[in-house]
Amino acid sequence: MKYLKEYRNSETIRAMAAEIRKISSHTWTLMEICGGQTHAIAKYGLQQLLPDGIQLVHGPGCPVCVTPQPTIDRAIAIAAIPNVIFCSFGDMLRVPGSDRDLLEVKASGGDIRIVYSPLQALNLAEQNPGKQVVFFAVGFETTATANALVLSLAKQKQINNFYALISQFLVTPAIQSICAREDCRIQGFLAAGHVCAITGYRQYRSLVQKHQVPIVITGFEPLDILEGVLRCVRQLESGRCEVENQYQRAVTKTGNTVAQDLIKQVFKVATQQWRGIGEIPASGLVLNDDYSGFNAEQTFNLPAVSISENNGCISGDIMLGLKKPGDCPHFAKTCHPLQPLGAPMVSTEGACAAYYRYRNQVESNESTVSNSTKR
Amino acid sequence: MNLQCPIPPNAEEIIRLGHGSGGEMTQRLIDQYIQPVFDNPWLSQAHDSATLPWKPDQLVFTTDSFVISPLFFPGGNIGELAVYGTVNDLAMAGAEPKFLSCGLILEEGLPLETLQRVLTSMAEAARNSGITLVTGDTKVVEKGKGDGLYINTSGIGTLIGEQPIDPNRICQGDSIILSGDLGRHGMAVMASREGLEFESDLLSDCAPLNGVVAQMINAGIEVHCLRDLTRGGLATALVELAENCGRTFFLEESKIPVCDAVQGACELLGLDPLYVANEGRFVAFVPEADIGLALSILRKATADSSFAAIGTVGGGNSSQVILKNNLGCDRLLQRLPGEQLPRIC
């Protein structure tokens, strides 16, 4: 806790905010990539401490939010199969599918277990040889590492009743995709520190050069985030565009090479569908041929699923930084945590959930993203 | 033809459907496991109802059901919870707990040794809180149709003070006092249920609250309202009270005690300690003039020193709970919409 308290020290945070106010002479729109950062910003009211000209908008870094609806529907279909134990992280259970969510399947008798690590799912498979155990492998490079490790363990141990429903995403292609959009208004990025702890940050150099946009690798505590903003604004005010590493206590340039090798051993890069956003080339991971026997989608005879996401949820625009949750006509009216239209309202890291939960703090900032043009 | 005896030789070691038959096995269960543990003249009446001495104009009555997995967790078990939960509900109404009923729903296959441990623990909890178990009931459900053991308890108490303790008595200017640090019970149960291993030994805060409440009332403190902080935690309890009394509560986050072990576990799982369940904590609404005396009583009555005055009641009728954080920013607290679910990463 000592280390957390240091990064939540009110005097240091206020001094950092004062420094940002001092050096800001323009309007800048910055995107925090990770949903964890979004929630920290809302929880601590950081936007209130920043000058009016600096707008923080939310990126596509919530794995629950970007998992496409057909994948949720597949998860629901598998979880409802008798003799299947379906294992998932807790915050996937409330995400709405086409007609119900995993919690409803559980209430109807589906054997759904909340796990805290994929290893728990593998242990369940070993303990229940007469059952088929499916793990919902969702997330970015952070979870891909643990998921790859467990799949390689399952292969070594020849566990033949363990499967994974894969929904893995890569962050860098998503940033690239946002930068390449004609309507992109993002002038600087706060990259997700925990993802970079795995990947390193060399890959951001070409992005910065090509799109002339600063990227600061940033942590998740209030002081981390304000320092990330300060570094970004300093670059923008002085006309620089560089990759900077604010999260030096966890991130190196090359990242965790052991984890990278493990991911390469189990997964291969593929085009990925992002909920609300659409297809992004080379932005996902699927199982390598050597691991195809663990693929839950191939193993279970699943019914065809609808790919319609047209229910009024504007999650795509929110995650691309084009709109804020308050811009949605359904926000806190027909869409709330007990009756969500989309995943961002139910995920622990969802932008809409953050705005709903801490909404008195953000009402003054709920306007559409400013029309400031990209430099 | 199968001529095997239907009652196996080790029939007394686990709960069987026959224990709920109302016949010989039920009577043996009561005689051997329940009656000796809760021995008192009212229970010994062995009648359909207990006949109790009473002043008819001061009754406080409550009921609660207890369903928890695992049955035993660090710092407590379902039996203690079942007694303290009902005792605390009576205490929160300003009542001195008197008599308790206990309904046991047992799942076929439950080891009798487990039942005995739970009952012994209930008896000790009842002694600790001065309540007497005077009547009860036992049912057995088939294997797979229960979670080992469910308990329902109902309690009767007598009002201590002359004024009722009620959300409608909360006044502008009242201080909000929290009796101890938050989240120990919820995180201890979660760690135990999910097999999570934290570096610290986190124990449930499960405890009776009637003693300290009686001391506050008997000391002449004008206690306007009390609420224990069970499911939904501090935040949900305060939101409910704010809506009930139609006033706004202002809290200061820096004054709300959360121990490092709970804070660390919540950080790890993405949970908010303000919403985590407690079983031995309450908030009290008292006039500002009574803060010193209330804190002094808490100091003497509790083993730790984490109790604190955490906020005040404002005027108006906005029915909100506003938390000012350490940076001076406001946050509107809301009810927990559903179960808190741990996050992915």
Side-chain angles (χ1 to χ4, degrees):
Chain A
M1 290 305 299
K2 171 181 181 289
Y3 301 104
L4 282 185
K5 284 174 181 168
E6 286 174 4
Y7 291 94
R8 296 176 187 179
N9 182 287
S10 58
E11 284 182 23
T12 323
I13 288 169
R14 285 201 192 94
M16 188 74 73
E19 180 66 14
I20 294 169
R21 284 196 297 274
K22 186 176 155 190
I23 67 164
S24 299
S25 63
H26 289 76
T27 296
W28 304 115
T29 301
L30 312 178
M31 172 178 274
E32 79 274 1
I33 291 293
C34 176
Q37 293 168 328
T38 302
H39 271 257
I41 289 163
K43 179 178 179 182
Y44 293 100
L46 299 184
Q47 183 75 64
Q48 296 174 46
L49 301 176
L50 294 173
D52 292 341
I54 294 184
Q55 285 236 23
L56 298 178
V57 298
H58 324 292
C62 162
V64 179
C65 302
V66 296
T67 295
Q69 189 160 311
T71 306
I72 301 291
D73 287 341
R74 287 185 192 104
I76 287 168
I78 292 171
I81 296 173
N83 212 40
V84 163
I85 300 175
F86 191 84
C87 302
S88 172
F89 294 121
D91 45 3
M92 292 304 297
L93 268 58
R94 281 202 211 106
V95 180
S98 292
D99 55 5
R100 55 181 177 162
D101 59 27
L102 284 165
L103 280 178
E104 286 180 63
V105 178
K106 189 171 190 294
S108 304
D111 191 351
I112 297 177
R113 316 274 180 99
I114 294 176
V115 294
Y116 296 84
S117 93
L119 197 56
Q120 282 180 282
L122 186 64
N123 290 340
L124 276 171
E126 289 184 278
Q127 292 158 9
N128 297 275
K131 300 265 186 179
Q132 293 172 301
V133 175
V134 180
F135 175 64
F136 200 0
V138 173
F140 293 95
E141 290 88 337
T142 41
T143 60
T145 308
N147 296 343
L149 178 65
V150 163
L151 284 161
S152 74
L153 272 175
K155 191 173 171 63
Q156 282 171 33
K157 292 182 172 184
Q158 298 183 328
I159 297 173
N160 57 13
N161 65 329
F162 179 73
Y163 310 92
L165 177 62
I166 306 291
S167 185
Q168 297 276 184
F169 301 84
L170 301 172
V171 170
T172 311
I175 301 178
Q176 158 71 34
S177 171
I178 290 169
C179 290
R181 292 177 66 97
E182 285 189 2
D183 55 1
C184 176
R185 296 186 174 118
I186 312 304
Q187 294 158 298
F189 287 94
L190 309 182
H194 54 1
V195 168
C196 295
I198 304 294
T199 62
Y201 56 86
R202 286 177 300 191
Q203 72 279 13
Y204 290 144
R205 282 198 176 145
S206 58
L207 256 175
V208 164
Q209 285 164 7
K210 183 175 177 184
H211 297 284
Q212 290 296 293
V213 61
I215 297 179
V216 179
I217 321 301
T218 305
F220 302 89
E221 293 303 319
L223 194 60
D224 288 325
I225 291 166
L226 287 186
E227 190 183 347
V229 171
L230 177 64
R231 288 178 179 230
C232 232
V233 171
R234 265 195 192 132
Q235 288 195 44
L236 290 165
E237 292 281 347
S238 61
R240 289 183 292 123
C241 289
E242 297 166 8
V243 180
E244 284 189 55
N245 181 13
Q246 181 279 329
Y247 204 38
Q248 289 182 15
R249 64 187 187 276
V251 174
T252 62
K253 191 184 294 181
T254 52
N256 183 335
T257 53
V258 175
Q260 291 164 21
D261 291 343
L262 197 55
I263 291 172
K264 279 182 195 156
Q265 178 196 319
V266 175
F267 296 112
K268 60 186 176 189
V269 175
T271 295
Q272 174 66 282
Q273 182 84 21
W274 296 58
R275 185 169 181 145
I277 296 174
E279 274 190 0
I280 301 177
S283 69
L285 296 171
V286 294
L287 290 171
N288 269 328
D289 294 344
D290 289 349
Y291 286 83
S292 60
F294 295 101
N295 190 333
E297 282 191 61
Q298 289 177 10
T299 302
F300 296 92
N301 186 21
L302 301 176
V305 292
S306 160
I307 56 167
S308 170
E309 295 181 3
N310 186 20
N311 63 355
C313 177
I314 62 164
S315 62
D317 285 350
I318 290 170
M319 289 186 286
L320 292 170
L322 301 174
K323 289 184 176 172
K324 287 197 165 190
D327 296 324
C328 177
H330 304 291
F331 178 76
K333 296 184 181 92
T334 52
C335 181
H336 50 79
L338 286 179
Q339 193 180 349
L341 288 180
M345 184 53 94
V346 288
S347 166
T348 310
E349 298 187 13
C352 298
Y355 268 56
Y356 187 90
R357 192 167 175 183
Y358 308 109
R359 64 183 184 271
N360 69 309
Q361 295 173 352
V362 291
E363 275 165 1
S364 60
N365 301 307
E366 279 183 1
S367 58
T368 305
V369 176
S370 70
N371 288 324
S372 55
T373 52
K374 193 174 164 187
R375 283 156 34 90
Chain B
M1 183 183 293
N2 183 1
L3 296 177
Q4 190 179 2
C5 175
I7 302 175
N10 62 347
E12 291 304 307
E13 292 180 3
I14 59 171
I15 288 291
R16 308 209 163 248
L17 281 175
H19 284 118
S21 67
E24 179 63 22
M25 285 180 72
T26 307
Q27 195 57 47
R28 283 167 66 182
L29 182 74
I30 293 168
D31 290 347
Q32 291 178 16
Y33 288 90
I34 299 175
Q35 183 77 39
V37 177
F38 299 105
D39 185 37
N40 62 67
W42 296 286
L43 191 62
S44 298
Q45 290 170 355
H47 193 28
D48 280 350
S49 302
T51 305
L52 308 171
W54 210 252
K55 288 190 285 182
D57 57 346
Q58 293 181 324
L59 286 178
V60 178
F61 179 45
T62 188
T63 190
D64 208 343
S65 297
F66 298 85
V67 176
I68 188 166
S69 177
L71 297 176
F72 295 85
F73 49 83
N77 61 62
I78 189 172
E80 277 180 47
L81 275 187
V83 174
Y84 291 148
T86 289
V87 162
N88 291 346
D89 283 348
L90 291 170
M92 293 304 106
E96 181 185 353
K98 290 288 190 185
F99 299 110
L100 190 72
S101 75
C102 171
L104 297 171
I105 310 246
L106 309 173
E107 184 185 3
E108 185 184 15
L110 178 77
L112 275 165
E113 184 269 340
T114 302
L115 177 63
Q116 192 163 35
R117 284 171 63 200
V118 169
L119 293 175
T120 303
S121 189
M122 287 185 79
E124 187 179 348
R127 276 193 298 277
N128 288 344
S129 39
I131 199 166
T132 307
L133 192 147
V134 294
T135 187
D137 179 50
T138 303
K139 293 284 186 294
V140 177
V141 295
E142 288 176 29
K143 180 85 177 169
K145 293 190 173 176
D147 205 5
L149 168 61
Y150 301 142
I151 302 177
N152 169 272
T153 53
S154 296
I156 293 176
T158 52
L159 212 56
I160 301 169
E162 293 184 0
Q163 293 257 34
I165 287 178
D166 189 286
N168 290 319
R169 289 187 65 210
I170 294 172
C171 302
Q172 181 177 352
D174 274 358
S175 289
I176 305 169
I177 292 172
L178 172 61
S179 71
D181 61 355
L182 295 180
R184 287 178 183 266
H185 175 73
M187 297 317 297
V189 171
M190 183 173 282
S192 177
R193 181 166 58 214
E194 310 297 350
L196 303 174
E197 292 179 11
F198 300 123
E199 284 184 12
S200 60
D201 294 327
L202 199 52
L203 299 180
S204 167
D205 52 35
C206 183
L209 301 172
N210 57 312
V212 66
V213 167
Q215 286 181 49
M216 288 170 70
I217 296 170
N218 289 331
I221 294 175
E222 200 180 309
V223 181
H224 290 155
C225 189
L226 296 163
R227 177 62 59 90
D228 57 348
L229 310 174
T230 53
R231 285 176 302 175
L234 173 72
T236 303
L238 288 180
V239 169
E240 281 177 13
L241 289 174
E243 289 176 1
N244 288 345
C245 72
R247 298 190 182 278
T248 298
F249 302 160
F250 295 95
L251 308 180
E252 288 192 46
E253 189 171 34
S254 61
K255 293 183 178 174
I256 298 176
V258 180
C259 73
D260 281 356
V262 169
Q263 186 71 48
C266 285
E267 296 284 346
L268 191 69
L269 298 171
L271 305 178
D272 186 340
L274 296 179
Y275 291 88
V276 174
N278 313 271
E279 288 293 343
R281 301 288 185 258
F282 67 94
V283 284
F285 291 76
V286 302
E288 190 181 358
D290 286 335
I291 290 179
L293 183 53
L295 293 179
S296 165
I297 288 169
L298 280 166
R299 188 173 298 115
K300 288 174 188 161
T302 59
D304 63 63
S305 57
S306 52
F307 51 83
I310 60 169
T312 55
V313 177
N317 54 1
S318 61
S319 302
Q320 291 183 328
V321 182
I322 297 171
L323 178 79
K324 188 171 284 298
N325 74 14
N326 297 343
L327 305 176
C329 303
D330 289 341
R331 169 183 166 194
L332 186 68
L333 297 187
Q334 295 159 62
R335 275 194 177 86
L336 189 63
E339 193 181 357
Q340 282 206 101
L341 295 174
R343 68 181 173 206
I344 286 183
C345 60

